[in-house]
Amino acid sequence: MNKPPAATTRRDTRSRGAVLGELERTRAGIAALQAEELGLLARADAIAAEHTARVPSGAGREREIPLQEMAAEVAAVLRRSDRVIQDRLHDATVLVTGFTATVAALRAGIIDAAHVRLIQDAGARITDPDARARFEQAALVVCERETPGRAKPIIAMIAQKLHPVPLEERHAEAAAGRRVWVRDLDDGMAELAAALPAALAYAIHDRLTQHAREVAAARHAGRAAEPAASDPPPTASAGADPAGTDAAGTDTRTADQMRADVLTDLLLTGHASSPISSASTPGARAITARVQIVIPAATLTGEGTAPAELLGYGPIDPDTARRLAGTADLWERVFTSPTTGAVQHVDTYRPNRAQRRHLDTRDEHCRFPGCRRPVHYCDHDHTIDHARGGATAVCNLANLCVRHHTLKHASAWTVIQKPRGILEWTSPTGRTYTDIPRRVLEFTALAAAEAPPPF
């Protein structure tokens, strides 16, 4: 086997700009080839369908043979399982015939395969051709500007808003299928899973996380309280907890392990019963779940049917949203522009607090392109440094995680803030990347869906 010289990479003298340009062209070329592959798979599926049509309709299993035969041969060429290929043939046909604009965008290198999967998954449930075309047009507006991770909840919300059947009806049907099941794993393990309404599932996970954090805090406190080697051994007292501090001090579980243990304790005993959990959670301080929901005013009052949104997940049905809102301790009223969808302000009394609420509602996550770090773990950064005269105003503030806050100040990356909270980042090589607040982008995409499709 001929191997390339070891020094080949070291002799590469391309500049940073040249490397980035080549990467961009290569990625576009890969996307074009993926679109071509979709066309070939769809054609293979069509050939199998033509052969199936020649088999008498009453032939039973014989009508399945042409597709199985085609899938087996394509699988042999691609070195894949024929069962997997049979599904891919079907998916390719759905995309090529039902999502033509998406395939065209992939062929042009505007989006990639991950974006295509998002659009197909969200749009597959929209069977009305006109509604699907409008959805596809809006989804492409988002995918052309965002990473798949950021685009997913926006596209899900767009699909819900453009679906001809109200979410309330679809949710009621889906909720009827809620269930819990067990799947066997290797090495004496099993997987416990549940299909639940999204608000409940996220609330359960949040409560487990809070318990796990309490346990972790007790662990750190236990380690801090460990006596030094020169200290005399502690004496037992009547009120001492023999398991509490010692157990906390020796606990080495990860956060995932803690969540799993708390879940087990809660389900089997009704409370987090392990010594560490009991010691770290005072009886008078119950842990409750926290979820953040955005509800259109008309939906809240019952006058509208637009879906609400569970942040971090996507659309939820209006009834669930109203029921959760009725038990909320704190309300924040958010005003958005009727022409752009941008957050205008959040009505609260104290200016500094209002600015923070405005920013957290507007941004939802770190505003560096592609980053999804939640605002709870971000800093409110001055776009123009305060030390250089930048105002502490919403139009000069944005949420940045520690990583990208540091990158902004310690590297050649720069950023300016435009109207409606839009950030324009410039890389060290002079390339610009626009980061649009999620709600402005969603509004823009939905507005695009109202226009006739450009085909």
Side-chain angles (χ1 to χ4, degrees):
M1 180 184 295
N2 295 326
K3 295 183 178 180
T8 299
T9 303
R10 280 179 245 150
R11 289 201 298 267
D12 193 335
T13 58
R14 286 175 289 188
S15 66
R16 180 191 293 193
V19 168
L20 293 173
E22 286 295 327
L23 279 173
E24 198 170 37
R25 286 188 287 274
T26 300
R27 176 58 64 182
I30 291 172
L33 289 173
Q34 289 172 327
E36 181 66 20
E37 183 182 57
L38 283 174
L40 294 170
L41 292 174
R43 178 56 189 151
D45 193 45
I47 292 172
E50 292 167 4
H51 290 178
T52 301
R54 300 191 191 109
V55 180
S57 58
R61 280 190 60 84
E62 292 182 21
R63 290 181 60 82
E64 300 175 7
I65 297 301
L67 179 57
Q68 292 178 2
E69 183 182 57
M70 178 62 77
E73 189 159 14
V74 173
V77 170
L78 300 181
R79 295 190 297 278
R80 294 289 187 272
S81 161
D82 62 331
R83 293 179 183 273
V84 171
I85 290 299
Q86 189 164 326
D87 291 338
R88 287 187 62 187
L89 294 178
H90 171 74
D91 289 344
T93 297
V94 170
L95 280 168
V96 169
T97 60
F99 295 88
T100 54
T102 300
V103 175
L106 179 66
R107 181 173 285 108
I110 298 172
I111 61 175
D112 61 28
H115 290 116
V116 173
R117 285 193 294 273
L118 287 178
I119 294 174
Q120 182 183 11
D121 290 346
R125 295 184 291 274
I126 304 176
T127 56
D128 179 76
D130 291 337
R132 179 182 282 187
R134 289 188 292 120
F135 159 75
E136 188 179 15
Q137 191 173 358
L140 286 172
V141 170
V142 177
C143 288
E144 290 172 11
R145 293 168 171 80
E146 287 290 7
T147 63
R150 277 198 186 181
K152 184 176 181 179
I154 305 176
I155 290 175
M157 180 60 74
I158 290 172
Q160 298 295 356
K161 290 181 176 179
L162 296 179
H163 199 295
V165 180
L167 174 60
E168 196 166 1
E169 294 181 22
R170 288 179 282 124
H171 175 73
E173 182 178 349
R178 61 192 181 278
R179 64 191 183 99
V180 177
W181 68 95
V182 176
R183 184 173 69 90
D184 293 339
L185 301 176
D186 296 330
D187 303 321
M189 300 293 288
E191 181 179 73
L192 175 68
L196 302 170
L200 299 181
Y202 272 76
I204 289 169
H205 187 271
D206 181 75
R207 189 177 184 213
L208 294 175
T209 299
Q210 290 184 66
H211 272 295
R213 287 175 178 166
E214 293 280 359
V215 174
R219 176 176 63 190
H220 294 314
R223 288 177 178 171
E226 288 179 358
S230 58
D231 291 340
T235 57
S237 62
D241 179 4
T245 303
D246 289 342
T250 58
D251 193 341
T252 60
R253 291 176 295 174
T254 65
D256 282 337
Q257 290 170 338
M258 289 181 190
R259 268 192 290 262
D261 293 345
V262 170
L263 173 67
T264 302
D265 289 333
L266 289 171
L267 291 180
L268 294 179
T269 69
H271 59 87
S273 62
S274 70
I276 300 174
S277 297
S278 297
S280 63
T281 308
R285 180 156 53 96
I287 292 178
T288 57
R290 298 169 300 185
V291 292
Q292 188 175 356
I293 297 174
V294 177
I295 312 174
T299 299
L300 182 63
T301 61
E303 298 173 1
T305 59
E309 181 184 3
L310 174 65
L311 296 188
Y313 166 75
I316 60 174
D317 66 289
D319 277 348
T320 298
R322 283 190 287 265
R323 186 169 61 254
L324 292 172
T327 62
D329 294 326
L330 176 65
W331 281 85
E332 294 179 347
R333 186 169 53 171
V334 180
F335 294 88
T336 59
S337 168
T339 57
T340 66
V343 173
Q344 292 181 318
H345 68 276
V346 179
D347 65 342
T348 181
Y349 180 70
R350 298 179 181 177
N352 290 338
R353 186 173 180 134
Q355 289 173 339
R356 292 196 299 270
R357 289 181 175 178
H358 180 115
L359 291 167
D360 292 351
T361 304
R362 182 195 75 186
D363 295 346
E364 297 187 9
H365 47 61
C366 171
R367 293 296 307 285
F368 188 82
C371 185
R372 299 180 62 204
R373 188 75 169 164
V375 292
H376 310 298
Y377 304 103
C378 293
D379 302 326
H380 295 123
D381 173 68
H382 287 75
T383 305
I384 300 175
D385 294 353
H386 188 265
R388 298 181 179 179
T392 305
V394 169
C395 60
N396 189 49
L397 293 167
N399 278 282
L400 294 181
C401 68
V402 174
R403 175 185 177 86
H404 294 122
H405 194 171
T406 302
L407 186 70
K408 171 179 175 283
H409 291 285
S411 76
W413 279 89
T414 60
V415 61
I416 60 174
Q417 186 160 170
K418 295 187 170 183
R420 300 180 301 188
I422 296 174
L423 299 187
E424 185 177 273
W425 291 84
T426 302
S427 75
T429 57
R431 294 166 175 259
T432 59
Y433 304 88
T434 302
D435 190 81
I436 304 174
R438 177 262 172 83
R439 299 190 184 284
V440 176
L441 180 56
E442 181 181 312
F443 187 93
T444 303
L446 285 168
E450 298 303 321
F455 50 81

